[in-house]
Amino acid sequence: MTKKDLFDGLNYINENIIEEAQPTETTTEHSDNIYAKKCDVNSDTQQDHVTEQTGRIDKNRKKHKNLARAAKALTAVAAVLVVAVLGTEVMRLNNRINELETKTSNVISQGNAQNNVYAGIKSGNELGDYVVAANYEQLYDSVKKVEDSMKEARSGDWVDGPETSGAMTDYTTSSNSDKETAMDTAQDSASASGTEYSTTNVMTEGVDESDVVKTDGKYIYMVEDGQISITDISKGEPADETLFRPEFEVPSDTIEELYVSDGKMLIISNHAGDKDETICYSYDVADPTKPALIGKARQDGYYNTSRKIGNTVYVFSDTYIRTSDMEKNVALQEDNLEKWVPQVNGKVISYDCFYIDDDTYSGTVISSFDVSTPDKTIDAKCIMNDNGEVYVSGDAMYLYHSEWSASRELTKISKISFEDGVMKTGETTSVNGYLNDKFAISQQDEYLYVLPTSDGGSQSVNSLHVLDKDMKEVGVINEIARGESIYAARFVGKYVYFITYRQTDPLFVADISDPTAPKLLGELEVSGFSEYLHMWDDTHVLGIGYGDSQQSKIKLTMFDVSDPTKPVEVSQKLIDNRDNWGNEFVYNYKAILADPKKNLIGFTANDYYLFSYDNENGFNLVEQQAVTYKNSGGYRGIYKDNDFYVAGNGEIKYFKLAE
């Protein structure tokens, strides 16, 4: 047990005594002066920032970890009680008073705040009904209120999820609709030498996403048991392999995903030390056999997701803010802020970059940096939103999560615009219901479209909401497919295609060309249901899902939507799903290869299946490869010209495509 455990434990059981020992001169006026530092920076500094640019956590594992840490905390408190009985209380109080007197002189002042606290870029707007923290005291009060409420509700029992100290964690389309074409998955790319190779299946064209397997057309980079395997494919068949492991801070650190582009590799890891952190390692891979470290970016919280536009990376992590029962006067001192305020690159986030909801102490930390200079933070925010999901368009990010109000489940959506890493908060709104598919939210031009399912009444019901740039509703369709739920959606240009499910698989087509007056055009009912939709060409939509409610068959479906008022199923393919496992495409769209230009459709369903499609013969099996799941990692289908690779779980299967 450390000295910190003794101090914190005794402080917990002697709150009133310690409070009497605190300095009494911190009035409201003095507090305002102390925290006068703001999130904005002067125009020169802001210009410097601009010109510098070029599946959820395993909850069972987290629960066990939290219980272990809670046990440690309870042990510390028990030990403190023993110390008190032995008569060391007076000595401890004297030491505590001396410590407080020393730290009082180090409280953040307006003059030195820029050197000690991360200075973000002023948002300019509040985030809807969130409150921008006026100082760290307001943040502390909000967090403490929730902590006390939780303790009272649980009669002193420790709450599953939050850690005992630090900022800890819980566990989830282009702005121009003309860009949202059949190739929105960015699965068609060419290198400077003319080599054609596939890229990650993404939600938004031009917005890259990290994954467990990547290629630059010359090498395959794959996450493999805490390391990266880098395999030479320049001559077609896989050749030399280099195994590379970052210099982790502790052996238990894990690699989550990676990016590879323009001679650089960014590895995203989860670090579990005194607190959970997301650490990004940036490497120069001009020589992929010898990656050279450029630098690191780090932020508090467990990795949620990320996006990359050009050289700018946006990282989202889920965090808890806990005061560790520090009294306010202690917690607000400069040396103690880092013990409870989330940090980015070793500096606490500026107080007015926190957007507070008084009902939670969990939130999403967002940071941005250039992959060439990861240690230089461009901007940082923390939204107290109970964690949640993220959708990113070409110029805005939308954080959304479910919450309950008046016995109704709502989806709360917050908009944050960005450019070159600089984030500007906008508005927050709510819609009835929940989003059952990641593609059920999409930005087209300046409008956001949302397809929620509501279970608030006797039957589920769906709706389509159109929100303008200020998150005000300008159009809506209510009462869609009562008694069914939305399972898959795809917004393309002036149309939205979506699947609902109960016993049949209705495909709906809605016209959204007039955002103020969206309307349903057509509906088609077929057997089974699709989990994923993809625009195949101008008149066809691909669906991948199940052929029956028992999920005993994988089903490929091709819909003809040349007449959007009368969609037609023109082809289907059923695949035996005997073991009903290994179907990563159901919950991870990045596991799907859907490339109309190359005419390839690939995914894993026990084996890896690769199909082509033509209007006369329908779906044609190109290749079926047996794969072995050694761990929880998935498989990805990758092509380079006419070479094809099934990569994942430490293995690469190779075959040639027909000329």
Side-chain angles (χ1 to χ4, degrees), residues 220-224 227-231 241-244 650:
I220 290 177
Y221 302 77
M222 179 168 52
V223 177
E224 179 184 341
Q227 60 189 356
I228 303 295
S229 65
I230 305 173
T231 304
E241 177 189 60
T242 298
L243 294 178
F244 174 74

Side-chain angles (χ1 to χ4, degrees), residues 118-321:
Y118 169 73
I121 295 183
K122 183 66 175 178
S123 301
N125 296 310
E126 294 191 356
L127 194 58
D129 54 355
Y130 289 94
V131 176
V132 180
N135 47 46
Y136 289 116
E137 181 176 6
Q138 185 177 7
L139 177 62
Y140 176 94
D141 289 342
S142 177
V143 171
K144 195 69 166 65
K145 174 185 174 183
V146 179
E147 287 181 319
D148 292 345
S149 176
M150 296 294 281
K151 287 179 181 179
E152 181 178 353
R154 295 294 185 92
S155 300
D157 291 339
W158 206 263
V159 182
D160 286 348
E163 306 291 354
T164 58
S165 66
M168 301 302 176
T169 67
D170 193 10
Y171 15 177
T172 113
T173 311
S174 175
S175 61
N176 185 341
S177 61
D178 291 337
K179 295 181 180 179
E180 195 86 33
T181 65
M183 298 307 298
D184 67 349
T185 58
Q187 290 218 314
D188 176 53
S189 180
S191 69
S193 63
T195 300
E196 185 182 48
Y197 59 90
S198 57
T199 59
T200 300
N201 190 12
V202 299
M203 293 188 70
T204 306
E205 183 184 10
V207 180
D208 197 8
E209 300 186 33
S210 54
D211 201 6
V212 294
V213 180
K214 291 279 191 178
T215 185
D216 58 7
K218 296 180 180 179
Y219 291 83
I220 290 177
Y221 302 77
M222 179 168 52
V223 177
E224 179 184 341
D225 294 331
Q227 60 189 356
I228 303 295
S229 65
I230 305 173
T231 304
D232 187 348
I233 58 170
S234 59
K235 295 182 180 180
E237 191 166 348
D240 296 335
E241 177 189 60
T242 298
L243 294 178
F244 174 74
R245 181 177 175 84
E247 294 184 5
F248 287 137
E249 298 185 4
V250 295
S252 61
D253 286 359
T254 60
I255 298 177
E256 300 301 315
E257 295 178 323
L258 75 159
Y259 290 96
V260 175
S261 65
D262 300 324
K264 295 182 178 62
M265 174 175 64
L266 186 74
I267 298 174
I268 303 175
S269 71
N270 271 318
H271 167 71
D274 294 334
K275 57 183 177 180
D276 290 329
E277 289 183 279
T278 298
I279 304 179
C280 301
Y281 299 81
S282 183
Y283 292 91
D284 185 321
V285 286
D287 180 356
T289 65
K290 298 178 181 178
L293 182 65
I294 296 172
K296 302 178 187 178
R298 63 194 308 147
Q299 64 190 61
D300 284 356
Y302 199 94
Y303 177 64
N304 180 321
T305 189
S306 64
R307 298 293 188 271
K308 182 175 176 289
I309 302 177
N311 286 328
T312 305
V313 181
Y314 301 85
V315 179
F316 304 80
S317 59
D318 296 329
T319 189
Y320 275 101
I321 301 179

Side-chain angles (χ1 to χ4, degrees), residues 388-457:
E389 300 290 340
V390 178
Y391 161 68
V392 181
S393 72
D395 60 6
M397 57 186 72
Y398 299 86
L399 281 68
Y400 61 95
H401 68 281
S402 294
E403 60 180 34
W404 286 87
S405 176
S407 299
R408 294 181 302 156
E409 186 174 8
L410 307 176
T411 295
K412 189 172 182 178
I413 310 170
S414 301
K415 178 181 180 179
I416 301 176
S417 300
F418 61 82
E419 183 176 4
D420 295 329
V422 178
M423 293 176 274
K424 182 178 180 181
T425 55
E427 295 297 329
T428 294
T429 193
S430 297
V431 296
N432 281 324
Y434 57 91
L435 301 189
N436 201 40
D437 181 62
K438 289 182 180 295
F439 288 87
I441 179 171
S442 178
Q443 180 182 321
Q444 304 285 307
D445 292 324
E446 294 185 347
Y447 295 93
L448 182 71
Y449 296 83
V450 186
L451 275 166
T453 296
S454 175
D455 292 331

Side-chain angles (χ1 to χ4, degrees), residues 545-548 550-555 574-578:
Y546 293 107
D548 53 40
Q550 289 75 39
Q551 303 179 8
S552 63
K553 301 285 186 180
I554 303 296
K555 181 182 179 182
L574 296 176
I575 306 167
D576 181 46
N577 192 37
R578 57 191 183 278

Side-chain angles (χ1 to χ4, degrees), residues 75 109 166 219 240 273 291 353 387 452 519 541 560 565 573 600 625:
T75 301
S109 66
Y219 291 83
D240 296 335
C353 291
N387 309 138
K519 56 186 178 181
V541 175
D560 185 333
T565 66
K573 181 74 173 181
L600 294 174
Q625 288 278 342

